Amino acid sequence: MSAARGAEVGVVIIHGMGDPDPAFAAPLIEGLSRQLGADAAAIAFEPCFWSDILQAGQDEIWRRLQNASTPMRIKFVRDWVVGTLGDPTGYLSGYERQGAPVMHSVHQRFAGSLARVESRLADPARAPVVVLAHSLGCVVVTNYLWNLERAAGEVGTAAPSTMHAGAREVARKAIGETPVQRLETLAGLVTFGCNIPLFLPPVPPYECVRFPRPSLRAELRATARWLNVYDPYDILGYPLCNLWDESHGTNIEDVALEVGMPGLSMTPLSHTFYWADAGFQSLVTTELRRMLEVARQVAR
């Protein structure tokens, strides 16, 4: 998305696993803009699309599987499994794609979205940034933040790393050339359908990222908030606030919210319904209005 510089709040929206359309965020952006009314012009929305980094390889794997001489049943489900459940493995494994670790490539894509938001902010040094992250996108964002914090020496680690040496080296690579790209202005985080609990280390202690970062302006720090929204029937979406042995002072507010049309909202399919759900959009709109009010107070 593009627009002239002048926005007061930046919002990056990142998807999770699967093969979404590059316009995946359109239903959410349209719904938020409609509810925000005139205030929508003060907010720079920027999607972060990263699925294509892994999808080409998954498509090739599926093509080869279909050439097998032995039968496979329910192929449409298998195709979905290869292209969706293969994403966490590809992202977290430490594998390389075209000479670069996949995790690093995905993080670079996220940094690029932050850079585009930054280019549209009237005052990038003072404007708050909000990230809306779905499903595996929550893992991507918190991994990105984790790496930044450790590269800057802001936090230690509560336990020896359980990663193998190659993956550990990848994880230490922080990305970001400006405060916005380094999430130093991150004042709002909304995770939804979040599956972070599925990707924690195999043994405790379980350590949370530190949010917000110490460099966030005091006026924004006082109102910074992490909301974690999940449908109680979403088997890929989980509460987060009680997971951590070491929270680094991070406070996560879990919000249980049924999303989607009646009937289907009470099924695992609810994982896909957040984007166009009016109730979820209303919740996010409230957060964005609050952040916009804070941004205007800071700018006075």
Side-chain angles (χ1 to χ4, degrees):
M1 301 185 70
S2 61
R5 182 184 289 273
E8 299 169 73
V9 175
V11 178
V12 175
I13 307 169
I14 183 169
H15 67 77
M17 54 191 172
D19 184 21
D21 188 278
F24 71 93
L28 180 55
I29 294 173
E30 290 167 5
L32 295 175
S33 298
R34 186 166 51 250
Q35 293 194 25
L36 285 163
D39 282 336
I43 298 177
F45 291 104
E46 185 66 41
C48 177
F49 177 73
W50 58 269
S51 171
D52 58 306
I53 294 172
L54 290 167
Q55 193 61 45
Q58 292 164 348
D59 288 345
E60 175 61 15
I61 289 169
W62 180 240
R63 185 189 67 77
R64 296 186 184 194
L65 287 171
Q66 293 185 91
N67 291 333
S69 58
T70 50
M72 289 189 298
R73 307 303 181 200
I74 51 174
K75 286 189 175 183
F76 71 97
V77 177
R78 291 177 183 271
D79 186 11
W80 177 86
V81 167
V82 171
T84 300
L85 300 188
D87 282 351
T89 301
Y91 167 69
L92 292 166
S93 63
Y95 291 145
E96 292 191 347
R97 175 184 175 273
Q98 298 178 350
V102 170
M103 176 184 282
H104 201 60
S105 297
V106 174
H107 288 187
Q108 285 179 318
R109 190 68 63 86
F110 182 58
S113 295
L114 288 166
R116 285 189 292 277
V117 155
E118 181 177 13
S119 72
R120 297 163 57 197
L121 295 173
D123 187 354
R126 295 164 66 88
V129 169
V130 178
V131 172
L132 311 179
H134 179 241
S135 190
L136 189 63
C138 307
V139 179
V140 172
V141 172
T142 52
N143 283 167
Y144 185 96
L145 183 56
W146 176 281
N147 295 351
L148 289 169
E149 292 170 342
R150 277 146 188 81
E154 292 168 1
V155 294
T157 182
S161 175
T162 56
M163 292 181 177
H164 62 79
R168 188 160 59 245
E169 182 180 352
V170 171
R172 286 176 179 158
K173 292 182 178 178
I175 296 174
E177 298 178 356
T178 67
V180 172
Q181 294 169 47
R182 293 192 296 268
L183 296 182
E184 294 175 9
T185 60
L186 180 67
L189 179 58
V190 179
T191 49
F192 53 106
C194 178
N195 45 35
I196 285 175
L198 305 183
F199 303 102
L200 292 175
V203 292
Y206 302 124
E207 192 175 0
C208 190
V209 294
R210 181 176 183 173
F211 169 84
R213 297 196 68 187
S215 51
L216 184 66
R217 296 173 62 89
E219 306 96 310
L220 296 176
R221 170 175 294 279
T223 58
R225 183 151 68 169
W226 179 347
L227 290 182
N228 177 58
V229 185
Y230 69 99
D231 188 305
Y233 292 92
D234 177 3
I235 59 173
L236 292 176
Y238 293 89
L240 299 178
C241 69
N242 294 323
L243 282 176
W244 317 107
D245 297 296
E246 173 54 81
S247 69
H248 297 297
T250 297
N251 180 46
I252 304 172
E253 299 179 41
D254 290 323
V255 179
L257 179 72
E258 288 192 21
V259 296
M261 63 187 71
L264 288 178
S265 67
M266 298 175 66
T267 73
L269 291 174
S270 58
H271 188 67
T272 65
F273 292 155
Y274 298 89
W275 302 98
D277 183 79
F280 176 67
Q281 292 174 355
S282 178
L283 185 151
V284 176
T285 297
T286 298
E287 281 302 291
L288 294 182
R289 285 193 188 281
R290 186 179 67 86
M291 197 59 61
L292 190 56
E293 181 180 351
V294 173
R296 288 169 175 169
Q297 290 173 352
V298 170
R300 287 173 188 159

